[in-house]
Amino acid sequence: MPVPAPGGIVVRVRAALTDGTDLKAYRRGHPQMPMPSRFGHEFSGDVAAVGTTDARAPHGFAVGDPVMCVHSAPCGACYWCLHGQEELCETVMATKILGAYADYIEVPAHIVARNCYPKPKGLSYAQAAFLEPLACVVHSVEFLAPQPGSTVAVLGDGGFGLLHAQVLRLHGAHALLVGRRAERLELARSLEIDCVDARDELALPAILARTEGRGADAVVECTGSPAVWEEAPSYARRGGTVSLFGGLPPSTDVRFSAARLHYDEVRLIAPFHFGTKAVRRAFELLRDGEVEVEPLITQTYPLERIAQAFADLDAGLGLKFAVVP
Ligand SMILES: [Zn+2]
């Protein structure tokens, strides 16, 4: 068990979720997660130890408190933090924590002070562990700022696609989820999300047919595939916006039609990470039950079977898994 630094806490992990980044790291390593390495970054649990607090950073958490947090926090002092772009904070990536697939994880003072919340009783630990991915989606949708009543095509039926469709709905937009996995589309439909099964019909005519031939008012790319990034503008209407959400490896180059961007005024945006306000909003959405996250967890594995969990994830046997020490 780690010893918390001043202002920090140690969390006894009660649930950690798998996500696409973890799977990529498991498959082929990750620029910031060379394997073998501790990983896992979506978690919640109970406070197991509290670092000495000083008057500068009193946080009020006590041993035994159920908590939920994200794995990063902005510095609050750099140029970007002072200009409302906390997701681009100079140190937010360098000071993030990994290692939630463990019995304990240390959460340092800067995260405790800005991005840590008491877990409401009505929320399970696995639900609470959605704070981080949901914060990404809240930031993404706020960055896009869809008009109420607009049609937003969401490309990808993974966890991020399903979360986007739900958060878009809360903004008054009509989400149209494009996917090709039967069980995921079935899950989406059970959440009353309108779907296009791309195995049955081509995505472009399907989107045009649902938008009086114009194309979607906005498109959100949630697959993290260069080919889908490049095809995403073709689904947008003239004057529409394409949000490239699914991250690609840093060395990736992508190509877009100049005519679509210029003569059709198709805007490209690419929201990354989140700031503290998005974390707070994600916390409120979970607390108030406004986003359904439980159905996104396919299965729960004990920590000892994490190798099996990743082998199963790699084989495409589930959407997200909960790992419980
Ligand atoms: Zn900063």
Side-chain angles (χ1 to χ4, degrees), residues 9-160:
I9 58 176
V10 169
V11 173
R12 164 75 174 131
V13 179
R14 296 296 180 194
L17 303 175
T18 62
D19 92 336
T21 308
D22 299 326
L23 179 59
K24 278 187 244 171
Y26 166 83
R27 276 178 177 155
R28 53 171 192 263
H30 187 277
Q32 293 184 40
M33 286 185 253
M35 292 287 140
S37 162
R38 287 188 295 174
F39 69 137
H41 63 278
E42 301 175 0
F43 67 97
S44 74
D46 299 321
V47 176
V50 175
T52 54
T53 54
D54 54 27
R56 197 166 43 85
H59 55 61
F61 290 111
V63 171
D65 287 352
V67 289
M68 51 202 282
C69 60
V70 296
H71 70 310
S72 69
C75 74
C78 72
Y79 178 89
W80 288 270
C81 282
L82 295 176
H83 288 79
Q85 292 180 301
E86 288 179 338
E87 68 276 15
L88 300 177
C89 169
E90 283 178 350
T91 58
V92 69
M93 285 294 111
T95 58
K96 71 180 189 293
I97 54 168
L98 296 170
Y101 304 135
D103 293 309
Y104 296 97
I105 185 167
E106 185 184 354
V107 181
H110 73 290
I111 297 177
V112 173
R114 295 198 181 89
N115 278 339
C116 204
Y117 293 88
K119 183 183 79 64
K121 278 200 174 66
L123 219 52
S124 71
Y125 289 103
Q127 289 171 322
F130 273 91
L131 185 64
E132 198 271 345
L134 189 57
C136 289
V137 173
V138 166
H139 172 68
S140 166
V141 174
E142 286 176 355
F143 207 86
L144 177 66
Q147 293 295 313
S150 61
T151 297
V152 182
V154 176
L155 310 178
D157 53 15
F160 278 122

Side-chain angles (χ1 to χ4, degrees), residues 168-296:
L168 283 162
R169 181 160 57 198
L170 294 174
H171 281 247
H174 175 72
L176 190 57
L177 186 84
V178 181
R180 44 177 66 248
R181 302 267 304 257
E183 72 283 4
R184 293 183 182 180
L185 293 172
E186 197 179 316
L187 172 60
R189 289 190 182 107
S190 77
L191 297 170
E192 294 175 353
I193 296 167
D194 197 5
C195 297
V196 171
D197 188 338
R199 294 166 310 165
D200 294 342
E201 51 182 338
L202 291 171
L204 182 57
I207 290 168
L208 293 176
R210 287 161 174 82
T211 54
E212 297 169 330
R214 287 188 301 270
D217 298 302
V219 179
V220 183
E221 199 290 334
C222 290
T223 72
S225 143
V228 181
W229 272 51
E230 291 183 341
E231 75 190 41
S234 65
Y235 303 129
R237 69 162 165 83
R238 297 172 65 236
T241 303
V242 173
S243 177
L244 303 162
F245 174 82
L248 302 177
S251 61
T252 313
D253 290 320
V254 285
R255 293 164 62 97
F256 297 106
S257 152
R260 279 252 73 194
L261 305 193
H262 184 75
Y263 296 110
D264 291 342
E265 285 190 347
V266 170
R267 250 177 289 245
L268 302 184
I269 61 171
F272 167 68
H273 203 59
F274 47 77
T276 49
K277 281 191 192 131
V279 179
R280 169 159 287 281
R281 184 74 189 125
F283 168 73
E284 291 166 354
L285 293 179
L286 290 169
R287 179 196 64 196
D288 300 343
E290 292 197 67
V291 175
E292 281 198 67
V293 293
E294 194 78 43
L296 275 58

